Structure formats: C-alpha cells, structure tokens
Amino acid sequence: MNSVDFLDKLLDGVGVEWRALGDVVHMRAGQHISASNITEEASNEHPYPCFGGNGIRGFVAKNSHDGRHLLIGRQGALCGNVQRTNGKFYATEHAVVVTPSDCINIDWAFHLLTLMNLNQYASQSAQPGLAVGKIESLKIPIPCPNNPKKSLEIQAEIVRILDAFTELTA
C-alpha cells in the first residue's frame, strides 16, 4: 500500500472539505541574496542556514524567517521538493516559504504537499519552475471542517501515523 492509499484509508469516514491550499497556508518566495554573503560552513558571523530550491546552500549572517515552516523548492530539476524547517533561517528566491494558518497542522501540510508530487506542476522549460499562484490553487482535504479543534486533533493523529509509516518504509 502506498502513502496516498494509506491516507485515503485514514480519512475514510471522516467528514472532509477540500480547500484551496492558498486558503489555509500563506506562501511566499524567499528573497535574493548574493552568493558572496553565503559561507559553506556555519560560524559565529554566519550562524543561519540558507535554503535554496534544493536544500541548504550554506550559512548567512541574517535570518529572514523564524519558527516552524515548510519550504518548497521553486526552481530546478528538483523543484517541488518539500522540507520542514524549525528555528531561524534564510530562504532564497528559489524556495517558497509556507506558513500554515490556525486551521492546519504544519506536519499535516508537509505530508499532503509531499504526497501531491508538486514537481508535476512545474513549467516545462530548460529551467523548470513552480509558480506560487499555481500551487495556491491546488486543493487539499481538511478533516472535520466545522470543528477546528477536532480537525487539528485528527490531523495530529494522522501525522503521527504517517511519520511512523514513513520511518518504517525508509
């Protein structure tokens, strides 16, 4: 059984509302930073990880974000990859920073975005890329939409199961 089928089974019998991703998370591309401001290794002067489209590019002196976020690779052959972050970091213009609203568990969003294979929505050009507007219009399931507390409880329980399932299959 693959992860999508597993998720379908977990949601079976739970009331679900399909909502546009842009309605439940905030998405914004990171900011440009000159390569000369990025070092290969962390130091007292450059303590913050700097994320590009495919993961950590190096370390920088100032952070652009703090807290729990998701990052979606926005450009390149691996665009659409999804990563979880926690703490202070800098996101370049090659990454989309995802911040959930109060109605969505960030780890729930991580699993959904990973299962959605976002790379399939990339432009078909020499340098593949994802448009934030296109991603925001994609629909995701929100369990128990009329009961926010129950919805978050269900999301957290499914995250626990999916994290365990992911560990077992890794």
Side-chain angles (χ1 to χ4, degrees):
M1 176 183 306
N2 67 33
S3 298
V4 175
D5 293 336
F6 195 57
L7 180 61
D8 283 344
K9 282 201 173 290
L10 292 173
L11 289 172
D12 190 35
V14 175
V16 171
E17 179 183 357
W18 288 85
R19 297 194 44 202
L21 195 53
D23 292 343
V24 294
V25 300
H26 178 268
M27 289 195 228
R28 184 176 192 133
Q31 303 165 350
H32 173 75
I33 188 168
S34 172
S36 63
N37 293 326
I38 303 171
T39 62
E40 287 186 31
E41 298 197 19
S43 67
N44 288 338
E45 295 81 30
H46 295 87
Y48 305 111
C50 177
F51 289 91
N54 297 319
I56 294 179
R57 283 189 54 195
F59 297 86
V60 296
K62 294 183 179 180
N63 64 300
S64 61
H65 295 83
D66 189 6
R68 294 187 74 210
H69 298 273
L70 301 178
L71 296 173
I72 301 171
R74 194 170 86 82
Q75 289 187 304
L78 299 177
C79 68
N81 70 77
V82 183
Q83 300 176 57
R84 297 183 237 202
T85 63
N86 190 18
K88 295 180 179 184
F89 66 94
Y90 191 95
T92 72
E93 72 275 17
H94 299 291
V96 176
V97 180
V98 178
T99 307
S101 66
D102 291 341
C103 74
I104 191 161
N105 177 306
I106 193 163
D107 297 310
W108 170 253
F110 168 77
H111 284 290
L112 292 176
L113 292 172
T114 300
L115 291 171
M116 292 168 75
N117 183 24
L118 296 175
N119 185 270
Q120 69 181 313
Y121 302 105
S123 63
Q124 302 301 313
S125 60
Q127 177 74 344
L130 286 172
V132 172
K134 186 174 228 176
I135 300 170
E136 286 177 326
S137 68
L138 299 174
K139 303 275 186 181
I140 63 167
I142 304 297
C144 294
N146 298 325
N147 186 338
K149 184 179 178 195
K150 177 118 176 120
S151 179
L152 288 170
E153 289 171 2
I154 291 170
Q155 291 173 44
E157 178 60 14
I158 293 174
V159 164
R160 186 190 66 74
I161 293 166
L162 289 175
D163 281 346
F165 181 72
T166 301
E167 261 186 56
L168 284 173
T169 58

